[in-house]
DNA sequence: TGACGTCATTGATGCAGGTCAATTGTATAT
DNA sequence: ATATACAATTGACCTGCATCAATGACGTCA
């Protein structure tokens, strides 16, 4: 639940919002779907009532029937190892598709749980697929989205594989910020809907480490933390801390390539 | 280059092997493609001459034109961070598809380099996609394969996120062994085509750690190592060490949960 | 308003595994 | 054979982060 830049009130009443009117359409299906086709897509989509915080959208091993698109709120997906402890695999914001990993085997390898009150579009996969055979551009979009997912997962592997705790948390915050931007929310202020423990788990860190880093970042003037609320004060420098080209994001394109050594410009 | 169980000689001469005659077809495209459709698929596939060890199939940023299927040999894919160091993202065996992460953005986010002499099927994506619009089962397969890739990446995140060095290497070996089994190779003996450094990088470990673990595993009678050659002596126990339900693979299901503390049984 | 549970913060301590370094083994070229 | 280059092993040391533990802050319910 980031702070809204524009007031886009989502009434809990009008569950029935057509895809063509949905403000998330360009995130959901970035390009290539015509208006008339959009109506056909809309016709197969089911919009359920909002999921309260803590409820599961699906659990591990549930049979795969539908893909889900987040309309508002947020969720986490997680696996559990045999000894019962969970591994958070991702956080999912409005406009994102969940369940792509279930297509292959016919059941969900992960569980999805609402981190706050969350509304969802339910997309029966069978219908989507047969609609896809009629609409090549939809089919193409689907492949693109899955490809993007793979790319994102690879990015996460880099973070888990070779970044320090500091770099991980910085990357995480920048990444969140970037995703909020795309959704029209503020890049510099947002609320974390997940706990420190979830963040730590997701980043492969202990929750204490996450907490310590937040205070460290705050002391260094990079951001301000108040409980769940985060304000990025020096996004620039946080990027440097994350040890990555923070490509997309705030419109600041001083063409500053050619200086890959961070060169402590702090 | 695992040791062959069945003698399936692949002559370097007959580059032209139809999909329908390819022994990898059930790995490449597990189910659902009819014989006649297979010929149509075959017609768009290009088979180049083998790639020598060390050569790149593609590099980071190369424009995306084709997917690639490994026919023989093996490759690694890797990213490089701004400071030039590489992160190995995966190792790719015969029957596996490479390049799925490039569909979304139109360029390859990773580089792919042959670990040994390797032959490849080149599949122009544009052709594949338009063939897909005519063959729903092909389309479906493509989605399944991508979904599987996502699931595998998630599995890797678990490994990098919360497993110990020992568990990581054990998981890696078991996973390799499982993949060899599917390809008709020996489950208990194989050659690693990648260096210790590649393995370490892939698993988020220092190469020294990998080396130490190999000797430790050997001392504990789990396996035998000779340079690149690995012989799994006690696959059973290696599974336990990996701390995971080693589902697919050799049939063994002692249900021994409830002892998550390693309890130094060494 | 107080009691309780959950989440977050902060401190103290220990260890797994990274880093540095030296040595050996293997492969290629000369 | 010898030289060169690189891959792998092994040892010694050190540090980043996990772990354990105590305390504080907040929300909820009676």
């Amino acid at each position: 639940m980031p702070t809204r830049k524009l007031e886009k009130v989502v009434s809990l009443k009008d569950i029935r919002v057509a895809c063509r009117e949905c403000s998330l359409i360009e995130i959901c299906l970035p390009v290539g779907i015509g208006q008339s086709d959009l109506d056909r897509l809309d016709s197969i989509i089911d919009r359920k009532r909002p999921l309260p915080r803590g409820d599961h959208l699906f659990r591990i091993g549930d049979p795969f029937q539908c893909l889900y698109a987040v309309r508002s709120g947020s969720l986490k997906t997680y696996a559990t190892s045999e000894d019962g402890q969970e591994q958070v695999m991702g956080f999912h914001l409005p406009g994102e598709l969940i369940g792509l990993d279930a297509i292959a085997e016919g059941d969900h390898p992960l569980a999805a749980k609402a981190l706050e009150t969350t509304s969802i579009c339910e997309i029966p996969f069978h219908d989507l697929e047969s609609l896809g055979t009629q609409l090549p551009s939809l089919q193409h979009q689907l492949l693109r989205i899955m490809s993007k997912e793979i790319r994102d997962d690879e990015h996460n592997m880099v973070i888990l594989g070779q970044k320090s705790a500091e770099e991980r948390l910085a990357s995480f915050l920048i990444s969140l910020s970037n995703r909020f931007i795309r959704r029209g929310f503020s890049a510099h202020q947002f609320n974390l809907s997940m706990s420190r423990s979830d963040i730590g788990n997701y980043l492969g860190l202990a929750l204490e480490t996450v907490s310590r880093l937040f205070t460290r970042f705050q002391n260094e003037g990079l951001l301000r933390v108040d409980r769940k609320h985060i304000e990025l004060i020096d996004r620039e420098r946080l990027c440097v801390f994350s040890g990555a080209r923070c490509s997309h994001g705030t419109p600041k394109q001083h063409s500053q390539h050619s200086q890959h050594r961070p060169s402590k410009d702090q």
Side-chain angles (χ1 to χ4, degrees), chain A:
Chain A
M1 45 146 61
T3 53
R4 307 244 169 79
K5 230 184 348 197
L6 306 175
E7 264 316 309
K8 254 180 283 172
V9 180
V10 180
S11 161
L12 295 187
K13 297 303 174 199
D14 58 348
I15 298 293
R16 192 78 210 158
V17 181
C19 283
R20 58 191 309 172
E21 292 163 15
C22 178
S23 61
L24 294 169
I25 184 64
E26 67 210 9
I27 298 170
C28 229
L29 296 168
V31 289
I33 309 282
Q35 280 295 348
S36 64
D37 295 342
L38 217 48
D39 289 342
R40 301 179 64 185
L41 174 62
D42 182 65
S43 69
I44 68 168
I45 290 184
D46 198 6
R47 292 174 187 79
K48 293 278 167 65
R49 64 180 48 265
L51 214 58
R53 174 192 154 102
D55 272 24
H56 278 87
L57 180 56
F58 50 80
R59 288 168 190 277
I60 295 173
D62 280 1
F64 170 65
Q65 308 285 357
C66 299
L67 295 176
Y68 302 93
V70 185
R71 275 206 298 152
S72 69
S74 55
L75 305 93
K76 69 171 174 182
T77 46
Y78 63 94
T80 55
S81 47
E82 51 280 17
D83 55 1
Q85 69 175 328
E86 77 180 47
Q87 160 77 28
V88 175
M89 301 297 313
F91 302 109
H92 306 276
L93 304 183
E96 290 172 352
L97 233 46
I98 311 183
L100 294 170
D101 52 4
I103 296 172
E105 309 288 345
D107 59 8
H108 287 283
L110 306 179
K113 189 193 242 183
L115 292 168
E116 58 194 309
T117 305
T118 297
S119 54
I120 296 286
C121 292
E122 200 175 286
I123 313 168
F125 180 68
H126 181 75
D127 296 345
L128 181 64
E129 209 176 12
S130 57
L131 186 57
T133 62
Q134 298 160 51
L135 305 177
S137 64
L138 176 62
Q139 194 62 256
H140 183 70
Q141 272 314 310
L142 198 47
L143 292 178
R144 278 176 56 98
I145 288 170
M146 296 189 74
S147 171
K148 174 111 178 359
E149 178 91 14
I150 293 171
R151 191 180 276 221
D152 289 346
D153 286 350
E154 284 166 356
H155 184 241
N156 286 335
M157 282 186 63
V158 175
I159 287 176
L160 291 176
Q162 56 182 220
K163 300 238 179 186
S164 69
E166 176 178 283
E167 290 170 321
R168 291 183 203 194
L169 188 61
S171 299
F172 173 70
L173 292 172
I174 294 293
S175 157
L176 261 191
S177 166
N178 285 335
R179 286 155 79 191
F180 285 140
I181 291 173
R182 278 213 64 191
R183 274 141 257 264
F185 296 123
S186 166
H188 297 90
Q189 264 189 75
F190 46 85
N191 280 5
L192 301 171
S193 56
M194 69 295 286
S195 69
R196 301 286 191 268
S197 160
D198 283 337
I199 297 173
N201 188 310
Y202 175 66
L203 295 176
L205 301 173
L207 54 78
E208 294 93 331
T209 304
V210 174
S211 185
R212 274 184 251 270
L213 284 171
F214 270 131
T215 57
R216 171 131 60 94
F217 283 167
Q218 179 161 262
N219 291 339
E220 302 198 18
L222 290 168
L223 46 75
R224 210 165 295 143
V225 203
D226 177 29
R227 194 86 175 148
K228 300 271 190 190
H229 187 80
I230 302 288
E231 185 181 351
L232 302 187
I233 296 174
D234 195 342
R235 200 175 183 284
E236 196 85 2
R237 203 144 56 91
L238 193 62
C239 272
V240 176
F241 270 63
S242 81
R245 49 213 150 197
C246 296
S247 44
H248 20 70
T250 38
K252 57 103 204 175
Q253 57 257 38
H254 307 289
S255 66
Q256 57 165 54
H257 311 132
S258 76
Q259 60 130 337
H260 14 102
R261 288 269 81 191
S263 74
K264 53 155 96 176
D265 55 349
Q266 359 177 358

